[in-house]
Structure formats: structure tokens, C-alpha cells
Amino acid sequence: MGNGIETYKIRQVVDLTGVSEFLLRAWEDRYSAIKPARSKTGRRLYTQNDVLKVRALFSLTQMGHRVGDIAELSLSELNQMLNQNLGERSSANPKLSPFVKEIMTKAKQFAWQDVRNLILENHKIGTQKRETPKPLSWVNCLIVPLLSEISQQADSGHLSIAEEHILSAIIKESLAFKFDRKSPRNKNGPRIIFAAPEGDYHDIGIAIGFYIAGSLGANTLFLGAHMPKTELAAVCVRYKATHLVLSSTSDRKDGAKDQYLKYLNFLDRNLNTKVTLWLAGRNSQKYMVSLKRPFRIIESFDAFEAEVRAEDRKYLG
């Protein structure tokens, strides 16, 4: 536009908001919700506030509001409505913390830096449950409830796929930022690898496990999602792993390359018999598992922390 203001073309607005081009033009022409400027060639040019307003309108229409009733409201007024609607929704869950409510509100406003800052304010979170030992205080008081709320809002359609992915990415970034690795108390102690099967891209659970184990001073290696079974077995050999944390949430119909039990049986046949499997995720609860080696079904982060502490004590003698 020549005045230093960043502008977006209509295709970019569609990609950033999830609103179709047809619907966006209807909101402009029929309701005057947005009044974009025009380039010299007549193309629509949208400002950042236009993008945020379209996103707010879209969120509110998903909550049941008629666009004709709210189209002429300012961005500030739309955000106030959004805050009120989200507050009414979250009031149905009195256990939801103010931090989680505020994070979800900021997410609906696309205020991602505010979301990051709120997630990292663990010094306030830690005072809510003094009886919860670190490093689980931050995880249990904020991260787990936040993930649960993200899942519920995504399932109900109140959170877009893009918003869900961005929030998950910010949580993983925050785990990495907060990660305070202690020097391993015993370099010859348990050596723990974290991975998810090939085709399974859900790795936030093992990211939290990695954060917990590393904060406790364990020897850890994070491989993350989408690990082919042959490469995972090879890394376990090279790293001299004593434990493998495997989280599986996807079946073949969801994109996993191998059926869960087939993947497990391959690892059971090819890993050193001394490697213990710690199995997490939806599939670990779904299937009856019988293996030649020691294994545990991990049902919670508290249970995982207890396992890490117990193994650490064994090696410390």
C-alpha cells in the first residue's frame, strides 16, 4: 500500500483464517464486515486487523452467532464477545484453571506470543499445589489440563486444526525451553529412549516424559514421532539403551505403517533382552500385550516419574 502497513491478499486471508473465499466475499459485500483497500489493479488488500476480525467472526459464528448481528462490531468488541463465550463454556468445568482459560482465549485471538508467555509462567503455577513434587508441578497443574482442554475443544469443533497444531507446537517449544537438564547422577545408570512408531505423529506425550526424566537427571535420548522400527532398533543398540518409552496413539487406519502388535513384536525380537519397554499412549491400553522381555504399561505421568525414580535408585545401588 506504500504506507508501511503489512497487507494480505485474499488467498492469504483464506489460508490464515479457514474462511472460504466465497464466505469472505459474502461477509464483505452483504454485511460490510470487512472493508479492504484496493491495489492499483483493483485487488483486495487486507490489514492484520482485518485478518484478526475475520478469524473472530468465524469463531463466533461457529459458536452459534449470526454474522448479520455481529458483522459491524469492532475487533475489540468481537474479542470481548469471544472472551465471554469462552468464559461461559469453561464455567461448565469449574476445575479449569484461570491460566488455561486465559490461554485458550488468547489462542482464539491468535495472540500466540501471549500464549507462550502464559505457558511459561510456571512460578505462579507451582504455588497452586505445593505438595506436588517438581518437575510434575508444572506438568500436572498446567500442561495436562491444557492438553485436555485443547482436545475437548478440537473434538467439539471450537478449535480449528491449525489452532490445535499451533498450540501443541508452543507446548513442545515450552517444554524444551523449560527443560533444565541436570547432569546424570550416574552416567552408568538407566539410558532411556523416547519414540513413537512410524506413521504416528503424536509425540507430545513422550515430549513431556522426556522433560520429566531429563529433569530428574536421567540419561535420555529423544527420537520423537514417526520412527521406523528397524532404525529405532538400531539406535537402541548404538545408544546402549536400557529402557525404551514407546507411545502409540495411531492405528493403521489413522496412518500408522504397522499394526501396533506387529511393531512391538519386531522390537521384542530384535532388541537386547535387557531393554525394558515402557508402553504409553492409547494403543498400550487397547491391546493385551505379551512380550518376552520386561515391560510396563504407563498410565500417567505420575506413574512414569515413579518408574524413573525407581530405576534410578537401582543403578545407584
Side-chain angles (χ1 to χ4, degrees), residues 122-304:
N122 72 308
H123 62 283
K124 296 179 181 179
I125 297 295
T127 61
Q128 294 182 9
K129 291 188 177 182
R130 294 183 180 275
E131 73 279 6
T132 306
K134 291 184 177 180
L136 275 176
S137 56
W138 183 57
V139 169
N140 280 338
C141 293
L142 178 62
I143 301 301
V144 171
L146 177 57
L147 287 172
S148 176
E149 183 66 11
I150 291 170
S151 177
Q152 290 180 28
Q153 291 207 23
D155 290 344
S156 65
H158 289 98
L159 200 67
S160 71
I161 294 175
E163 290 167 336
E164 181 185 8
H165 286 189
I166 293 171
L167 279 166
S168 297
I170 290 175
I171 291 172
K172 285 188 278 189
E173 289 174 8
S174 301
L175 287 166
F177 182 83
K178 290 293 299 178
F179 186 62
D180 180 20
R181 174 181 285 281
K182 300 176 181 178
S183 297
R185 286 187 290 271
N186 182 354
K187 292 183 179 179
N188 297 318
R191 302 174 65 80
I192 310 171
I193 289 180
F194 296 79
E198 185 173 10
D200 192 328
Y201 294 93
H202 298 85
D203 62 354
I204 197 162
I206 52 176
I208 295 174
F210 177 73
Y211 164 81
I212 292 171
S215 297
L216 292 172
N219 300 285
T220 55
L221 179 65
F222 184 80
L223 297 181
H226 190 52
M227 277 303 301
K229 56 184 181 290
T230 52
E231 293 189 27
L232 177 55
V235 173
C236 285
V237 173
R238 292 197 296 269
Y239 187 67
K240 298 180 180 178
T242 60
H243 296 76
L244 169 60
V245 178
L246 185 72
S247 176
S248 175
T249 59
S250 299
D251 292 316
R252 292 198 66 179
K253 62 181 177 61
D254 303 316
K257 182 174 181 180
D258 294 306
Q259 200 268 349
Y260 176 63
L261 293 180
K262 180 180 178 181
Y263 191 96
L264 273 184
N265 286 333
F266 177 89
L267 295 175
D268 195 27
R269 293 194 311 270
N270 290 278
L271 293 181
N272 187 302
T273 56
K274 295 181 180 180
V275 176
T276 297
L277 289 179
W278 284 339
L279 306 176
R282 184 168 59 242
N283 283 334
S284 69
Q285 312 291 328
K286 181 178 178 180
Y287 295 100
M288 293 292 293
V289 177
S290 178
L291 302 175
K292 298 177 182 178
R293 68 188 57 253
F295 71 95
R296 296 282 188 278
I297 305 297
I298 305 297
E299 298 182 349
S300 68
F301 294 118
D302 298 83
F304 177 69

Side-chain angles (χ1 to χ4, degrees), residues 88-105:
E88 291 172 353
R89 183 190 179 282
S90 60
S91 64
N93 182 3
K95 294 183 179 180
L96 201 62
S97 76
F99 279 95
V100 173
K101 294 178 184 178
E102 189 171 1
I103 287 168
M104 298 308 297
T105 297

